[in-house]
Amino acid sequence: MLVEKNVPLQALNTFHIVARAHGLVRVRSEADVLAVLADPDWAAAPKFVLGGGSNLVLTGDVKPLVLKVEVQGRRVVGETAKAVIVEAGAGEDWHDFVAWTLAQGLPGLENMALIPGTVGASPVQNIGAYGVELQDRFESLDAIDLVTGKLLTLNAAQCAFGYRDSIFKHGGTAPTLGLKERALILRVRFALPKAWKPVLGYADLDKKQAQTGCDHPTAQQIFDWVCEIRRAKLPDPAVIGNAGSFFKNPTVTAEQCADIIARDPKVVHYRLDDGRFKLAAGWLIDACGWRGKTVGQAGVYEKQALVLVNLGSGAGGATGGEVMTLAGAIQTSVYERFGLRLETEPVVL
Ligand code: EPU
C-alpha cells in the first residue's frame, strides 16, 4: 500500500483551492481499502473520502488520511421487468458515465448531464437537476464500512435519500445510524427504465422545447439541451473554480412563505406536494445584491448568484477562508432581509 505524502490538492478540488493532504492513498479496488484498514499505522487514523472534489471547500491542509476513490468500470449487470441495471465504479466521472449510458441506448440519466463530480459522490448528496434526482434512478450501491471493514450493500431506502441529502451526510449511532465519514462507496447501480419517458416541465427545458418546436425530444436531445442550459449559466470548473450551488434551496411553511412574499412579492417560490414551499436561494441572494460581489479572490458568480467562484488561480486564488467569509456574509444578509437562514451545500474541511 502506497501512502503518498504532502500531496497538492489544487487539481483534486473543483474550487482549485491550494492545500495539501498530509497523506493520500489511491483506492482502485476494495483490496486497497482493506490494506489501509489492516495497516497498523493507518487503521485507526481519521480518514477523509475524496471523490471528484466537486462539493468541497478546503480551509487548510488536510490532516486525515485522504482516500482518493479511483474505482473504475461501467457495465450492464442485469435487468428486471421494468429496468436495465447498470453499474459504475465510484471513481468514474459522472458526466462521462451519463454519456456512456446514452451511447448504450439506455436513457434515464440525461437530465443530470454535466453535473461535476464522480459516480461515487452522486448518492452522497442525491444529486439532481431539471426534474430528476439520483434517487429516481438508483438501484443499490456497495460500500466499505471504514470502521468494521465490512462490505455493505444498500438499497434506496437504506440510503435515506432526501433533497441533497442521504445517510452518508449524517453521523450518529443506532437506531439512527449515519454513515458520515464512515462509508467508502465502491460501486453504484442504477435502474434505467425500459419504458422511458422524457422528464420535461422544468422552465428552462420548456423554453428549449418551445424554441426548437421539438414535440417529442429524444433522451439525446434532452441531454444536449441540459448541457446547453448549464454551459450558459453555470461556470465550467475547468475554467473558473467552483463547487456548483453553494446553498440549498430552502423549504418553508406556507406562513413563512407568505411572510417572505410580504417582504418582496417577486420572490421565486414553488408549491410542493405537502403544501410547503421551496424558494429559489439564487433569487434571494440576487435580491440582496450579491451578484458579482467579492471577498478577496472569492466571488459570487455573475450569471447565477447561487454559485460562489474562485476568481484567481494557484497561490493567487481564493482561500477557503475567503470563500467561507463570503458565504457567511451572504447568509447574514439574506437572514436580515428575508428572516431565513440559508444552509450551505458543500463539505467544508
Ligand atoms: N435566480 C435568480 N437569480 C440568480 C439565480 C437564480 O433570480 O442569480 C432565479 C432563476 O431565475 C429561477 C430560480 O432562481 O427563477 C431558480 O434558478 P435555477 O433554475 O437556475 O435553479 P436553482 O434553483 O438555482 C437548482 C439546483 C441546481 C440544478 C438546477 C436545475 C439546488 C441547490 N440547485 O438550482 O443544482 O442544476 O436547480 O435543476 O437545488 C447543484 O446542486 O450544485 C446544482 C447546480
Side-chain angles (χ1 to χ4, degrees):
M1 180 192 77
L2 175 67
V3 180
E4 298 169 45
K5 298 279 174 64
N6 209 21
V7 182
L9 294 175
Q10 191 188 330
L12 302 184
N13 74 98
T14 60
F15 248 120
H16 306 310
I17 290 171
V18 175
R20 285 175 180 269
H22 288 198
L24 181 144
V25 173
R26 293 177 194 275
V27 172
R28 297 189 175 107
S29 69
E30 201 172 321
D32 291 334
V33 185
L34 295 176
V36 171
L37 299 182
D39 188 303
D41 289 339
W42 298 104
K47 298 173 190 72
F48 177 72
V49 179
L50 178 64
S54 61
N55 198 41
L56 180 64
V57 182
L58 295 171
T59 58
D61 289 347
V62 180
K63 294 188 189 80
L65 179 66
V66 174
L67 302 177
K68 168 86 173 66
V69 182
E70 296 184 352
V71 181
Q72 301 295 305
R74 309 181 288 217
R75 61 197 181 118
V76 174
V77 289
E79 63 180 297
T80 63
K82 291 190 172 163
V84 175
I85 313 298
V86 178
E87 180 182 89
E92 292 284 347
D93 177 76
W94 171 261
H95 177 73
D96 290 349
F97 171 61
V98 174
W100 177 83
T101 56
L102 289 181
Q104 307 306 303
L106 300 170
L109 300 176
E110 56 284 348
N111 293 51
M112 294 186 283
L114 223 56
I115 295 182
T118 54
V119 166
S122 65
V124 176
Q125 59 158 348
N126 186 21
I127 60 170
Y130 306 104
V132 179
E133 286 187 318
L134 181 107
Q135 66 178 355
D136 303 326
R137 303 285 183 253
F138 179 86
E139 201 263 339
S140 60
L141 61 77
D142 298 332
I144 291 198
D145 183 330
L146 295 173
V147 175
T148 63
K150 283 204 182 118
L151 188 69
L152 311 169
T153 294
L154 303 183
N155 63 23
Q158 290 166 316
C159 290
F161 292 122
Y163 166 61
R164 297 294 188 273
D165 198 25
S166 72
I167 194 164
F168 306 104
K169 286 185 120 181
H170 297 272
T173 46
T176 55
L177 185 65
L179 290 174
K180 186 181 175 183
E181 288 159 18
R182 184 161 172 173
L184 183 145
I185 296 169
L186 292 163
R187 289 171 290 273
V188 185
R189 284 172 293 277
F190 301 86
L192 303 181
K194 287 180 177 171
W196 174 82
K197 279 199 281 236
V199 179
L200 299 163
Y202 206 93
D204 282 336
L205 281 180
D206 285 351
K207 235 182 272 169
K208 286 279 178 199
Q209 209 182 356
Q211 280 164 7
T212 53
C214 177
D215 282 344
H216 301 288
T218 61
Q220 185 63 46
Q221 179 68 77
I222 294 174
F223 176 92
D224 292 340
W225 285 342
V226 168
C227 290
E228 284 168 26
I229 295 165
R230 293 186 73 98
R231 288 197 173 111
K233 66 159 78 166
L234 295 169
D236 176 355
V239 184
I240 305 175
N242 76 89
S245 297
F246 203 90
F247 301 96
K248 293 184 187 179
N249 284 329
T251 300
V252 296
T253 61
E255 292 73 31
Q256 284 172 306
C257 192
D259 170 58
I260 290 166
I261 291 170
R263 295 176 194 228
D264 192 328
K266 293 191 295 301
V267 63
V268 177
H269 57 289
Y270 315 91
R271 193 173 188 284
L272 301 175
D273 291 343
D274 63 5
R276 293 188 302 161
F277 287 82
K278 183 168 267 194
L279 304 178
W283 187 93
L284 297 168
I285 298 166
D286 200 5
C288 293
W290 280 100
R291 235 199 265 205
K293 292 269 168 65
T294 59
V295 167
Q297 290 300 310
V300 179
Y301 192 51
E302 291 275 4
K303 297 184 206 163
Q304 214 319 357
L306 197 52
V307 179
L308 303 190
V309 292
N310 181 353
L311 296 165
S313 65
T319 62
E322 287 172 345
V323 173
M324 295 315 294
T325 303
L326 177 58
I330 291 170
Q331 282 171 319
T332 304
S333 125
V334 168
Y335 184 77
E336 282 172 358
R337 170 101 187 258
F338 295 106
L340 198 76
R341 176 110 186 129
L342 291 181
E343 251 183 76
T344 54
E345 234 199 63
V347 173
V348 182
L349 256 197

